[in-house]
Amino acid sequence: MVEIELDGKKVEVAPGSVVMHAAEKAGVYVPHFCYHKKLSIAASCRMCLVEVEKAPKPMPACATPVTQGMVVRTKTDKAIKAQQSVMEFLLINHPLDCPICDQGGECQLQDLAVGYSGSTSRYEEEKRVVPNKDVGPLVSMEEMSRCIHCTRCVRFGQEIAGQMELGMSHRGEHAEIETFVGKTIDSELSGNMIDICPVGALTSKPFRYSARTWEMSRRRSVSPHDSTGANLVVQVKNHRVMRVIPFENEAVNECWIADRDRFSYEALNSSDRLTQPMLKQGGEWKTVDWQTALEYVANGVTDIKSQHGADAIGLLASPHSTVEELFLAGALIRGIGSNSIDHRLRHAEHNPASGVRWLGRSIASLSTLDRALVVGSNLRKDHPLFAQRIRQAAKRGAKVSVLNERTTDWAIALQSVVNAPATEWINELSKIASAIATAKEVAAPVAVVPDAAAISIGKALLSGSDKAILLGNAAAHHEHASALLGLANWIGQQTGATVGYLTEAANTVGAQLVKALPSGNGLTAQQMLGGEAKALFLLNVEPGLDTAGGPAALAKVAKSQMVVTLSPFRTNLECSDVLLPIAPFSETAGSFVNAEGLLQSFHAVVKPLGDTRPAWKVLRVLSNMLGVAALKQDAVPEVLAAALPGVVSGEVVPNAKLSNAQPVVRVDVSHATTPCTASIYQLDGLVRRSPSLQMTADARAAGVMNGVVA
């Protein structure tokens, strides 16, 4: 450790640190613009000038390495005058239009100008004007005259997002931040550029001129999309969600969120929201009250049970539903006498699972990997924040290998890429296992001859100390998912690598923990979607979009005797008999279990829209009407305690409850089908209904236009 004196305090920091790190440790604020703890040092703004003993001039705190015995002063006249001079320089070309700036009230430049700027400007010449730029539907660059050239956005693209979408052209006062030859900003993490911009140059296009920061209340929540479980701050005005920004949690999402976490809130206020229960009568939809709708459902279920037995009643649940909702859904179905409940909507294999599948390690540890093999995943689009962590690991020298159907740009330096049809994945993994077996002189699980790529991947996994084999969405949804997992486990045992699933949805792990799975003679998702259920509940499920069967499954579901849709949106109109409006994540309390097994609870941030009700309350009331006596919980904490006894919010589920164990199994792969996976902005109902997300390059590439999906 290196000891320095900072404003009269002794501070110890690690060798190689800069003065800014020492100031942060000592709790001393040094004004800055270009410095950001997650980005490289640029030292371009010079706002962090401090006085260093024996130095001939003020030194930038962000770029001055600490030395033993260094004496630093941040509040002397010399330091403050230097900072005031820099501030005057930065404001020379700034339009000084705070009253109309969308960043007003949360602008770093505005805040520091109060303390370090003069009351008047001495600059009388003409100011530069930067032309507006259209860079896509999410990020606004219409006010680039406010840019102070800190280059945070440029460095974010290069270092975090993995692609340099922004750069600085020209020099001096003519310098501009812009994209290359009129291109758009298409990164799945682009919204973070808005957060890190210290002025009003980059702003949110969907939020632009909607509200002022001081008008909104801030409430914590958790992302309902992928398995990261990103922590959010939801900003609310007049019981309406106005904006979503990240809440820093170093162990989960650091200080970043993906664009679908940030902009999917648009769906919450869309015209597609279902606000009252509806019944289909004579082929027409009519609005009814809750009592009528629930009595209709209860009577219909009772009639079907008496005619066809309880086994004819099933429930399909989205893994984006909360722990509480899934637990009560299971209790409802089993209380009726059926075992037909399933959350594996896109899976092709429906064998009884031998354990709760999870990541196999902490999310934070992805950043420290030195060897990784990713199977069946478009990592950058399926799990943007996981990809970001692995990208940082690769920058530090980690060797990352991929087995997938096609090459996609992960913006990560890859060691080995094996492109093969899904039918060949088992054979390709067998080759890797054989290469490892040959190197270790042990018997291979499958007798195949390894090729050069398999040998290269095998050598990489046999070296290094922190290793992981990660199975993506396509691997989890594979027709022979168990065989892939069995081979991955054998490779992991031989190389010392952890084995885990990236897991698709916000609550995939939680759905397994509360046993939202069929048992005994219960119907699987595949069977229910095939039309074998006479009565079917759809909890946050759109069969045509959320399932492996797609439109064909929707047609088969429509032939069921009764279909009840529980959704925040007007959907499934073709196949449903009843629509029950349930609250999205913003209007209900609940919990998600992310990929690493971390239980995170959240509260409602706004009142339910119209006659919308939390799904857990609807399920409990419906259970009571159907005579399921066991469900008596009156509050979300009570439901959670019954669902996951002994697990507290903010804690990781005990490892004893999680397992990726699977022996090697022999299967016939000659007729395996291509796994069903969702594109980045088709993952769930919220992102599908966000107009801004549907105008992105990724959405257009997936063939989705104009935003709202009916």
Side-chain angles (χ1 to χ4, degrees):
M1 299 295 284
V2 177
E3 184 180 83
I4 72 168
E5 182 181 315
L6 183 76
D7 290 345
K9 301 178 184 177
K10 299 291 185 182
V11 185
E12 286 190 347
V13 291
S17 300
V18 295
V19 172
M20 185 70 80
H21 297 150
E24 289 177 342
K25 189 173 181 179
V28 175
Y29 179 73
V30 178
H32 60 274
F33 293 113
C34 68
Y35 171 78
H36 191 281
K37 63 182 179 180
K38 292 291 183 179
L39 303 177
S40 62
I41 302 297
S44 59
C45 76
R46 320 305 285 187
M47 192 66 205
C48 63
L49 292 174
V50 295
E51 184 179 355
V52 179
E53 193 173 80
K54 297 181 182 179
K57 59 183 181 180
M59 304 293 287
C62 69
T64 304
V66 295
T67 58
Q68 185 65 36
M70 175 185 279
V71 179
V72 180
R73 299 181 181 91
T74 68
K75 302 292 189 294
T76 61
D77 287 344
K78 186 177 181 179
I80 291 173
K81 285 180 179 179
Q83 293 163 357
Q84 288 173 338
S85 297
V86 170
M87 176 59 70
E88 184 178 22
F89 179 78
L90 291 175
L91 294 179
I92 280 177
N93 276 308
H94 193 279
L96 305 177
D97 59 348
C98 296
I100 65 162
C101 179
D102 212 41
Q103 193 84 351
E106 53 186 2
C107 175
Q108 204 170 334
L109 180 67
Q110 188 180 46
D111 293 342
L112 292 179
V114 173
Y116 296 91
S117 172
S119 57
T120 58
S121 175
R122 294 184 291 174
Y123 185 77
E124 297 178 351
E125 289 75 16
E126 290 186 1
K127 294 182 179 242
R128 60 123 198 232
V129 177
V130 181
N132 299 344
K133 303 172 180 66
D134 186 2
V135 292
L138 304 180
V139 180
S140 172
M141 294 182 70
E142 295 184 26
E143 305 290 348
M144 291 305 291
S145 296
R146 300 169 182 154
C147 178
I148 61 171
H149 305 148
C150 70
T151 69
R152 279 187 179 183
C153 55
V154 178
R155 285 175 285 145
F156 172 85
Q158 289 178 294
E159 298 165 15
I160 306 300
Q163 58 184 133
M164 186 176 175
E165 294 184 296
L166 292 176
M168 185 179 290
S169 61
H170 313 302
R171 301 187 69 180
E173 73 168 6
H174 302 293
E176 291 184 33
I177 300 292
E178 57 186 341
T179 58
F180 180 74
V181 196
K183 289 190 174 183
T184 55
I185 299 174
D186 297 323
S187 167
E188 62 284 353
L189 299 173
S190 65
N192 294 290
M193 294 180 182
I194 301 166
D195 293 336
I196 64 174
C197 180
V199 299
L202 301 181
T203 54
S204 169
K205 191 171 282 189
F207 173 72
R208 189 171 168 84
Y209 298 135
S210 297
R212 291 296 196 178
T213 182
W214 57 83
E215 299 176 314
M216 300 184 290
S217 56
R218 293 162 176 79
R219 295 159 189 175
R220 284 191 62 181
S221 191
V222 179
S223 169
H225 304 302
D226 63 39
S227 60
T228 307
N231 290 202
L232 311 176
V233 174
V234 182
Q235 298 185 317
V236 175
K237 178 184 177 183
N238 296 332
H239 302 293
R240 182 183 175 95
V241 175
M242 304 301 296
R243 183 168 64 170
V244 174
I245 57 176
F247 182 88
E248 185 172 349
N249 186 335
E250 192 66 25
V252 179
N253 57 295
E254 300 176 269
C255 54
W256 317 119
I257 55 173
D259 284 351
R260 64 184 171 198
D261 302 326
R262 184 184 302 272
F263 297 108
S264 64
Y265 75 88
E266 289 183 301
L268 302 171
N269 307 316
S270 74
S271 59
D272 207 25
R273 284 291 304 272
L274 178 67
T275 58
Q276 290 180 290
M278 300 182 76
L279 292 180
K280 187 186 286 183
Q281 297 178 342
E284 294 185 2
W285 284 100
K286 297 184 178 180
T287 300
V288 297
D289 58 60
W290 271 102
Q291 186 67 25
T292 303
L294 292 175
E295 286 179 354
Y296 182 93
V297 174
N299 293 333
V301 169
T302 302
D303 290 345
I304 291 170
K305 181 180 178 179
S306 63
Q307 294 175 20
H308 304 283
D311 292 336
I313 303 167
L315 188 148
L316 290 172
S318 167
H320 299 277
S321 303
T322 67
V323 168
E324 294 81 0
E325 291 165 358
L326 291 167
F327 171 74
L328 292 175
L332 166 63
I333 289 298
R334 294 186 177 99
I336 294 171
S338 172
N339 289 306
S340 302
I341 178 173
D342 209 341
H343 73 277
R344 301 168 298 177
L345 306 177
R346 295 189 177 98
H347 290 231
E349 183 186 79
H350 290 86
N351 298 335
S354 56
V356 174
R357 308 310 193 196
W358 67 300
L359 186 61
R361 58 171 49 239
S362 69
I363 292 173
S365 69
L366 295 175
S367 303
T368 62
L369 287 172
D370 49 26
R371 301 290 185 271
L373 170 61
V374 183
V375 181
S377 176
N378 183 2
L379 185 65
R380 180 178 160 192
K381 304 301 180 182
D382 292 346
H383 301 89
L385 295 178
F386 290 176
Q388 187 275 132
R389 286 188 178 273
I390 293 175
R391 184 174 299 118
Q392 303 312 311
K395 288 170 63 179
R396 287 190 285 269
K399 295 181 178 179
V400 183
S401 303
V402 180
L403 169 58
N404 204 9
E405 281 196 308
R406 64 185 66 85
T407 302
T408 54
D409 182 13
W410 286 8
I412 296 174
L414 300 174
Q415 186 219 11
S416 299
V417 178
V418 178
N419 291 321
T423 53
E424 295 296 320
W425 288 356
I426 291 176
N427 188 46
E428 295 296 335
L429 269 186
S430 298
K431 291 178 183 178
I432 297 170
S434 182
I436 292 167
T438 301
K440 295 192 68 175
E441 298 181 349
V442 297
V446 183
V448 294
V449 179
D451 53 21
I455 293 170
S456 174
I457 295 172
K459 283 183 178 178
L461 289 174
L462 285 168
S463 61
S465 56
D466 193 358
K467 299 169 276 192
I469 301 170
L470 302 170
L471 303 175
N473 296 352
H477 303 166
H478 197 278
E479 196 169 342
H480 303 300
S482 296
L484 288 172
L485 179 59
L487 282 167
N489 275 322
W490 189 92
I491 295 170
Q493 291 164 4
Q494 297 298 321
T495 60
T498 62
V499 177
Y501 282 104
L502 295 168
T503 69
E504 178 187 41
N507 202 29
T508 300
V509 177
Q512 299 173 81
L513 285 167
V514 299
K515 296 181 171 52
L517 294 162
S519 58
N521 58 352
L523 301 176
T524 65
Q526 195 174 43
Q527 292 170 318
M528 286 186 270
L529 292 166
E532 294 188 31
K534 299 297 181 183
L536 188 59
F537 291 88
L538 301 175
L539 177 59
N540 287 313
V541 174
E542 298 174 88
L545 300 166
D546 290 325
T547 70
L554 181 64
K556 291 179 179 178
V557 167
K559 295 178 181 179
S560 299
Q561 196 169 326
M562 185 176 74
V563 178
V564 181
T565 292
L566 294 89
S567 173
F569 304 105
R570 290 173 55 90
T571 187
N572 300 340
L573 301 180
E574 307 92 333
C575 68
S576 298
D577 299 286
V578 187
L579 299 181
L580 301 178
I582 61 171
F585 82 103
S586 58
E587 299 169 16
T588 184
S591 308
F592 294 131
V593 182
N594 70 2
E596 70 175 0
L598 175 65
L599 175 67
Q600 299 185 106
S601 297
F602 55 91
H603 299 286
V605 299
V606 291
K607 294 179 179 179
L609 188 64
D611 283 339
T612 298
R613 297 289 183 268
W616 71 270
K617 286 188 177 181
V618 176
L619 291 165
R620 191 203 60 190
V621 172
L622 193 54
S623 298
N624 294 338
M625 295 176 72
L626 288 167
V628 182
L631 303 182
K632 299 186 182 294
Q633 296 87 357
D634 293 322
V636 167
E638 294 177 20
V639 183
L640 180 60
L644 296 175
V647 184
V648 180
S649 179
E651 293 183 356
V652 175
V653 175
N655 281 352
K657 294 179 179 283
L658 308 170
S659 174
N660 292 319
Q662 174 66 48
V664 176
V665 294
R666 305 293 179 98
V667 294
D668 178 14
V669 298
S670 58
H671 302 294
T673 57
T674 301
C676 173
T677 56
S679 61
I680 183 170
Y681 299 131
Q682 286 290 292
L683 182 64
D684 58 65
L686 286 173
V687 297
R688 288 195 290 265
R689 290 171 172 84
S690 169
S692 298
L693 291 177
Q694 297 307 317
M695 290 188 287
T696 60
D698 282 318
R700 296 198 307 271
V704 180
M705 301 292 290
N706 302 322
V708 177
V709 179

